[in-house]
Structure formats: C-alpha cells, structure tokens
Amino acid sequence: MGTAPGGEAVELRVHGVSGASADKILDHPIVVRVAGDRHAGFYRPRPGTGAAGGAAAGVAVEAYRWGSLTAGAAVRTASMLLLLPFMLGNLAIWLRPRSADRFGLLGALCRLLAASLTAALMLAIIGATVNLLGWQCVPYAQCRQGRPYLSWLVALPVGPRLALLSLIPLLALRLCWTIGARSARAFEGFGPTSPEPKPSELTESLTTPGFWDDERITSWLRQIHVGIGAGTVDVSLLAGLSAGRHDTIRLLLLDAAAALVMFCAVLLCLPVPTGPAQARRLLRPLWAIVATVTGLSLAYATTTRSVDEAVVGQLPGYEGAAAGLIATQGVLLVAIAVVALARTRQKTDPAESRPWLRGLGTPVVAAMSVSIAAAFTATLVFRVADYLDRGYIPDPLRPNPPAYGPLEPPVAYWWAALAGLTALLIVTAAAAATVLLTRYRRRILARRIVERDFPHVPPHAAARLRLVRTTIARSQVTEELGPMLVVFFVVSALGLATVALDLLGIGPTELVSRLSGQHDGIGLLAAYVTDAGIWFISLLVVGLILLGYRAYRSRETRRLVAIVWDLGTFWPRTVHPFAPPCYAARAVPELARRVSALAAQGPVVISGHSHGSVLATATILQLPPAALPSVALLTYGCPLRRVYARLYPAYFGDQALRDLGDRLDWRWRNLWRDTDPIGGPLFGHHRGAQPTLGNPAADAVDIRLRDPRAVTIDPADTVPPPVERHWPYHTQPEYQEAVRYLAERAGHASTDSPVAGPEPPL
C-alpha cells in the first residue's frame, strides 16, 4: 500500500446522530481516548487488545465521538426543548434556495422574524405576570382568596405592583442570555481559522474561512435581542399605566421605549460589524439606551400611585400588542415566502435537482417556528389563567363571576390555539393521505428491486421475500414528506386571515355568534371547540416539558431528544442568538485539525456514517490544500443527496457534491442500500436508476449493497441473513475493500504517483 514514508493509513470513523459510544463505533469493547476531551474525543482500541471491528488489513481505525456535544448534560438537553422555536427560527435561513442573498434581504427578514419570537416570549411572560396576576387577579378578593403569596401584592399601589412583576420577564431574558452565552465555553472552544475579517453573512459557501466560527455574530445578535426584550417589557409596562393618565413624562418614556425597539430592528437589518471596534461603537449606545430607558420606566412605575383601576379586562395596550405582533409575524412570513420563491425561479443549472419543498424550505421552517412559539406562549398564558380562576375558561360568551375578575387572555391567543389545532389536524390528514396515495407506486418500485436482486426464490422463502419488499417500500417514504410540509405552510398562511380579527379584538366564539345571529347553540359549540384546541395544544406543550424532565432522568431519552438537536443545531447561529449552540462550530474545526495532523503522517480515509458523512463533507471543505492529497472519503447510509441536497440546495446541492468530488480527485466511495430509509446514492437521479452524469469518476462513487445478502438460510447458519437497513455497514466485505482502495489511492496521491493496476471490482 502506498503510504507516506514512515506513516500508516488511518480510517477515521465519524458517527451519525443519537450519540453512539466509542466502543460501538469501533466495534471493540476496550477503547482509549487519544485526543480531544469528554465532550468530543478521538478513540482507538487499546493497544494489545486486537483490531477494531471491520478494520481493513494494514489500516488503523480511529473513531471521533461528538455525540456528547448534544446528548451530554441532562440539564442542557432538557433546557434545549424550551428553545425549540428559536432553533427552528435559526434553521430557516439555511434552507434558502441560493446562497447569494441580494442586499441581504432574506437574512434581514429572517432576523426580524427571529426578533419577533423574542418579543413573543416576553409578551407571554408579561401576560402571565403583569397582566393576569398584577392587573386582573390581585384587585379581586375571590381571585386572591387562599393565596397568601398573592394577597400581599394588594397592599402595593398599581404602579409599584406592575413594576415588581415586570422584573420576572427581565429575569427570564437574563436566563436566555446565560443559556446562550455559556455555549461559547462549552462547545465553541475553537477560535477563528483565519485572522482576516469574515463576511457579514457566513452563508456564502462551506469553504469560506471561518464559516463555523459564529460567536462574533451570535454575540452581536444576543445583545440586540436583549434590547428588544427589554424594550418590549418597557412598552408594556408604560402602556399599562396609561389608564386615566396622559402625563408628558409617561408619553416621553413610551416613545423612548418604542424607539429602542425600532433601533434594535434597524440594527438587525444592517450588516454585522466585521471588527470589534465597529461593534463597540454601535453596542455601547445601545446598552446605554437599554439601561436608561428600562431604569426610568421602572422608576416611573414605582412612583406612580394614581392609576384608574376601574378599567376592566386586559392590561391597557396588551391586547393590541399581542395582535400587532402576530400581524407583524404574518407580514414577515409572506415577505420571506415571496423572496424565497423569487430566488428559486432564478435561472440555475438545469442538471440541479429540484428543492424538496419547491423553494419554500425557508418560509416553511419559519412558519413552524412561529407556530410552536405561539403554542408555547398560548399554553403559558391559558394555564396561568386557568389556575387563577380555579377552572373557569372565560370568553365573551361565558364570562367569569364578577368576584373572580375577568382573567381573560388576549384574543390573539384564542386564535393561535384554534389555528394550531386546525393546522395539526390538516397536516396529520395530509401525511396519512400521502402515505396511502404513494403506497402503490412504492410497492411497484420495491417489487422491481426484489425481482432484480432475488430472481429465483424457493417457495419456503416467500414470507421472507415479502418482508424485504415491505421494508424497501417503507424506506421510500422519506421522499414523500415534502408535500406534507408545504401543506403546513399553506395552512399557516391561511391562518393569517385571523390577523384582522385579532386587531379588531374579535375571538372565535364571538365571530361565530355574530355570524349565526345567536349567543347559544352554535356559539357555545364554537366555544367548546376552541376550548378543546386550547387543551390539545397545552397537552402537547406539557408533553414536551415532560419529555424534557424525562431527558433529565433517563440517558436513553436524552439520546432520543439529542437526535432532534443533532439535525437542528448543525448550522451556525446567524439568525437567533438564543437557539441551542452549533456543535459543528467545534466538531468541524476539530476534525479538520486532527485530519491535517494525521495526513501529515500518512493517508487518511474519513469514514462518515449517516449524519457523520455531513460532518465529514464539511470537514473536507475546510481542510488546508496541503492535507487534501492524503485524504479520501467513504460515506455510507449517507443522506447528502437524498435529504441535505434537497433541503439545503445552496450548500449541499448537486454542484456542491461535484465540487467536493473534484476537490478529492474523486477519492470517494458511497455505500447504500435500498432498505435504508435515510441514506441513498449520491449521483443517481433516483433509486434504481443508473447514473447519467457522463463522468466515469463520479459514476463510480456509488456502490449499491444488496440487502439482505440472501432470503434463504445459509447451510452453515440457522436463520436467514438480517435486513441491515441503516446500520451496520462496516461488517460488509465491500466496506473493507473500499477502505483499502481509498487508502491506497490517498497514499499514491500524497506521493504524486499514479495508482498501479485497475480499480478493484466493487
């Protein structure tokens, strides 16, 4: 084998999602860490204990275990569940159809939408504390009866009471800051890879130096979002003190708080500063404004005594703020969809495959983030209201008894609960219909594959053959998920029609009553349907919280939750700073550093399974040119073409895959099975089709493995070969043959000598 002088060939295995252990990756019971730390480390079999499972002759095997970055600490995993809307908001920008963002328009729109999620969180906490507790409950004796922890608040005048309760959302904002800031220490321990200033949008290409160093952008956005959150609290507090008051000081402070929010919105639309000096010039005034306006607002509220408490219902201004925020989110979603579609219709390479979501990936995920945030906020407000009024669910048709106080959540949350239930039911129906309508086509494809692989099957193996055919048919469902998500976006867009009703303050039951001309019967039925929607959405959110608690107690549940974060936190945080941290900000630079060190000694075959193949691809695109001749790539169970190229066409599209092959001089092999529901071929147009690129090197990349190996029982065995599906691959002889071949090619390339002999038949 052509290795570098004095060096050995190394197979570096990178696992997929769910945090596989090092001994499982190496298929060896005794392993030792040779680099890295407990969060992410490199492991090899302990010397003297034998080779790793599936090791090719003459090739050392090393494993990179990065799963603890997402599935490690229980508290971290549980807290991530509460950040789900922020994670989706950050993910949306990466599904853009093209990497070029003319005028930064799409990025600015996504950042403004992300800012609305922060404002929605603040408004929900304000609604539960300042509105329901301080304004609607404490003044009523029946509401605070038997609750000594609330009774003492009645002794405070309204202004100091609301100022005190306003500290709770400010503390929540500080908590979000702490969760976001700690990731720089826990995960992003690798500094910039290039001293040159980076572009304001790290979204141009995976080969961009410093692509994964997102801490500069995250720090910038984090401080702006704090300004937006604090400004939202200030505006709500000052507007709540407006009952019967029109003094100049309050109006000036209210204008200053509104100007603070607008200033932060303008900063989100500007390019991120390329240097710390420029950032400080903008952030120092921002911090001074935030501290001054918030301090003066709290001081004004504390000194305010004469507030007209005869106003019944919502905290003044709160209803309009909730409705206005939903209206703003609706406008932003429509604008994002229009811009994304315009980018999709621009001329591209005709050989490129069509994006999975018809170019709507960014608005679809953005709509999901808004919907989940609405579910979280509505659940918080409704459950607090339900607790305070001891089980009553008031609305305009069924008001609370006068002694309890109104305890009415804003109309916008009623519509959010009803729209969430409707969207969930329609998407569930669309998913079921998609599976049913595509069943025949998937079965035909599976039958053709089985007939090709097993043309002569004895009658006693018919049951086994049916199992294989069913497994292949089910594995094709992945391609059918796109229309279901498009339906979700369409339903969410139709839900924007309720924005006008939000602004008018008309709830679902009141609208039905007006249309039906009666206040009972149909109106009451609408009230119960709305109640059911509220409870259903609440149960989903409570279930998510219980899952977080379960993740705190159970390692297996933590690993299950980590699968979601492995997929959702792969990309840098360039939109929402409170999203869970980007683990690739450490994993990719760390892999690049280790591969470069190994490549200096001999050939390296990066072996990526499933999502690990995505990390391997990103690593190769960040390698220095000196290391590339000694590097080869082996992928298996790889979703690059089947999922990532269609979800993220700007970064993993067909052209990007071809460029990756050219970068490696096509030292690349990809193993795949028809039974694998995740992985697939990279350069075939669809499963079962022959590659048609006209490039022999690219056509040789994909190696199809028949699965199972047979449907009959081998004479030396007692059971038929298993259906392997997505795991394992390293036990197959084609795997070892591919490693040997790639290591030999990398060894010859590093010494600038041609590969002797023909390519082995794989």
Side-chain angles (χ1 to χ4, degrees):
M1 181 176 299
T3 61
E8 64 173 350
V10 176
E11 174 197 343
L12 179 57
R13 296 180 183 176
V14 184
H15 67 82
V17 298
S18 80
S21 60
D23 57 337
K24 182 178 180 180
I25 304 170
L26 293 172
D27 198 6
H28 192 280
I30 306 175
V31 299
V32 60
R33 189 171 68 227
V34 295
D37 57 24
R38 61 185 181 87
H39 294 298
F42 297 85
Y43 296 82
R44 292 194 181 193
R46 178 173 294 176
T49 60
V59 179
V61 180
E62 184 171 303
Y64 177 61
R65 183 178 184 271
W66 53 271
S68 292
L69 295 178
T70 54
V75 174
R76 182 172 72 237
T77 305
S79 65
M80 284 180 177
L81 290 172
L82 301 177
L83 305 178
L84 180 58
F86 302 155
M87 182 194 77
L88 294 175
N90 183 74
L91 182 63
I93 189 64
W94 299 101
L95 285 86
R96 60 174 66 180
R98 298 171 63 86
S99 60
D101 187 6
R102 185 177 298 178
F103 311 119
L105 181 58
L106 191 60
L109 291 173
C110 287
R111 285 177 179 171
L112 290 174
L113 186 68
S116 74
L117 299 178
T118 300
L121 172 64
M122 292 295 100
L123 275 181
I125 301 176
I126 292 168
T129 55
V130 180
N131 181 27
L132 290 175
L133 280 175
W135 185 265
Q136 297 192 52
C137 176
V138 171
Y140 295 88
Q142 193 68 28
C143 183
R144 64 176 185 269
Q145 184 179 4
R147 294 168 173 161
Y149 50 89
L150 295 180
S151 299
W152 66 275
L153 289 172
V154 75
L156 296 176
V158 177
R161 183 198 311 156
L162 299 186
L164 179 63
L165 293 174
S166 295
L167 296 177
I168 298 177
L170 291 176
L171 290 175
L173 188 63
R174 174 60 185 174
L175 178 62
C176 289
W177 170 285
T178 302
I179 294 175
R182 70 179 295 276
S183 64
R185 299 186 299 272
F187 303 107
E188 299 161 353
F190 283 75
T193 57
S194 174
E196 291 82 10
K198 298 176 288 296
S200 60
E201 293 279 351
L202 294 182
T203 56
E204 296 179 352
S205 169
L206 292 175
T207 60
T208 303
F211 181 95
W212 300 101
D213 178 31
D214 68 345
E215 183 54 32
R216 178 180 58 89
I217 294 180
T218 303
S219 177
W220 164 260
L221 294 177
R222 189 183 301 132
Q223 298 176 75
I224 296 175
H225 276 244
V226 168
I228 289 176
T232 303
V233 176
D234 297 338
V235 170
S236 301
L237 176 61
L238 294 169
L241 299 174
S242 64
R245 295 180 60 85
H246 302 283
D247 57 287
T248 305
I249 297 178
R250 186 190 66 82
L251 293 176
L252 289 175
L253 287 175
L254 186 59
D255 291 341
L260 168 62
V261 176
M262 294 303 299
F263 178 57
C264 291
V266 171
L267 288 179
L268 291 174
C269 298
L270 297 177
V272 178
T274 57
Q278 183 182 359
R280 283 194 296 269
R281 284 196 299 268
L282 291 173
L283 291 179
R284 282 177 179 173
L286 174 62
W287 276 111
I289 295 173
V290 170
T292 302
V293 173
T294 303
L296 291 177
S297 299
L298 292 174
Y300 174 83
T302 303
T303 58
T304 299
R305 297 292 188 269
S306 57
V307 175
D308 185 4
E309 297 188 63
V311 177
V312 178
Q314 302 287 330
L315 180 75
Y318 185 72
E319 180 86 49
L325 180 63
I326 291 181
T328 301
Q329 291 176 332
V331 172
L332 288 173
L333 282 176
V334 171
I336 289 172
V338 170
V339 174
L341 285 175
R343 298 290 189 269
T344 304
R345 292 178 180 177
Q346 294 177 359
K347 290 184 179 181
T348 58
D349 185 350
E352 292 281 329
S353 58
R354 179 177 294 179
W356 199 9
L357 302 177
R358 310 286 182 176
L360 288 174
T362 295
V364 163
V365 176
M368 292 176 64
S369 69
V370 171
S371 299
I372 295 177
F376 280 17
T377 55
T379 296
L380 174 63
V381 173
F382 275 109
R383 295 287 63 84
V384 171
D386 188 42
Y387 167 75
L388 292 176
D389 62 13
R390 294 178 169 87
Y392 288 98
I393 306 179
D395 61 35
L397 297 182
R398 301 167 299 171
N400 258 340
Y404 279 86
L407 291 174
E408 296 176 2
V411 169
Y413 291 160
W414 291 94
W415 283 112
L418 189 60
L421 176 62
T422 303
L424 186 63
L425 292 177
I426 292 179
V427 170
T428 302
T434 299
V435 173
L436 291 176
L437 293 176
T438 61
R439 178 181 294 178
Y440 178 76
R441 178 171 56 81
R442 290 185 286 110
R443 285 182 173 179
I444 292 297
L445 176 61
R447 186 175 63 196
R448 291 175 181 172
I449 294 173
V450 168
E451 289 175 352
R452 180 185 61 185
D453 287 347
F454 311 103
H456 306 292
V457 177
H460 64 81
R464 184 68 175 174
L465 198 65
R466 283 194 300 271
L467 173 63
V468 175
R469 188 165 52 242
T470 300
T471 302
I472 294 175
R474 289 176 177 173
S475 71
Q476 311 300 314
V477 173
T478 304
E479 279 81 358
E480 313 298 340
L481 297 179
M484 179 187 69
L485 296 177
V486 173
V487 167
F488 174 83
F489 175 74
V490 172
V491 173
S492 300
L494 292 177
L496 299 178
T498 63
V499 170
L501 299 173
D502 288 342
L503 296 175
L504 295 175
I506 301 175
T509 57
E510 189 175 4
L511 176 64
V512 171
S513 296
R514 292 186 181 184
L515 295 177
S516 63
Q518 57 183 359
H519 290 279
D520 53 6
I522 297 178
L524 192 61
L525 176 62
Y528 285 122
V529 171
T530 307
D531 293 347
I534 294 169
W535 275 106
F536 189 80
I537 295 299
S538 298
L539 288 175
L540 290 179
V541 175
V542 171
L544 194 63
I545 295 174
L546 291 177
L547 182 62
Y549 176 76
R550 177 70 179 171
Y552 180 82
R553 302 291 298 272
S554 167
R555 174 181 292 271
E556 291 301 319
T557 306
R558 253 191 335 270
R559 291 182 60 189
L560 177 65
V561 173
I563 293 176
V564 179
W565 307 119
D566 291 349
L567 301 176
T569 61
F570 171 73
W571 297 99
R573 292 175 294 177
T574 59
V575 170
H576 205 300
F578 298 152
C582 167
Y583 62 89
R586 167 170 176 173
V588 172
E590 187 170 41
L591 270 170
R593 182 178 298 179
R594 181 65 176 173
V595 170
S596 298
L598 293 174
Q601 303 173 8
V604 180
V605 179
I606 306 178
S607 170
H609 172 246
S610 190
H611 184 66
S613 63
V614 182
L615 282 174
T617 299
T619 299
I620 290 173
L621 294 176
Q622 289 283 313
L623 285 177
L628 284 173
S630 300
V631 176
L633 176 62
L634 174 61
T635 55
Y636 44 102
C638 174
L640 273 174
R641 172 69 184 272
R642 193 177 184 190
V643 178
Y644 280 77
R646 301 171 74 183
L647 278 180
Y648 310 105
Y651 307 99
F652 290 107
D654 295 341
Q655 184 59 47
L657 295 182
R658 291 193 290 269
D659 291 343
L660 177 66
D662 291 335
R663 192 179 182 89
L664 290 171
D665 194 22
W666 296 101
R667 296 184 298 276
W668 187 3
R669 290 295 178 266
N670 176 63
L671 310 180
W672 66 280
R673 303 182 177 113
D674 283 300
T675 56
D676 192 333
I678 298 174
L682 297 174
F683 298 101
H685 287 291
H686 56 80
R687 291 191 167 199
Q690 294 297 323
T692 57
L693 291 178
N695 182 346
D699 292 344
V701 169
D702 291 314
I703 302 173
R704 178 180 175 271
L705 304 184
R706 187 175 68 176
D707 188 38
R709 311 291 292 185
V711 293
T712 57
I713 303 176
D714 187 271
D717 206 340
T718 57
V719 293
V723 181
E724 303 284 7
R725 304 190 72 190
H726 192 55
W727 176 268
Y729 277 85
H730 68 278
T731 58
Q732 307 299 316
E734 292 89 346
Y735 181 95
Q736 287 85 41
E737 186 64 30
V739 171
R740 281 193 295 267
Y741 171 72
L742 291 173
E744 182 176 356
R745 279 205 60 191
H748 281 283
S750 62
T751 56
D752 294 324
S753 61
V755 180
E759 178 179 331
L762 297 178

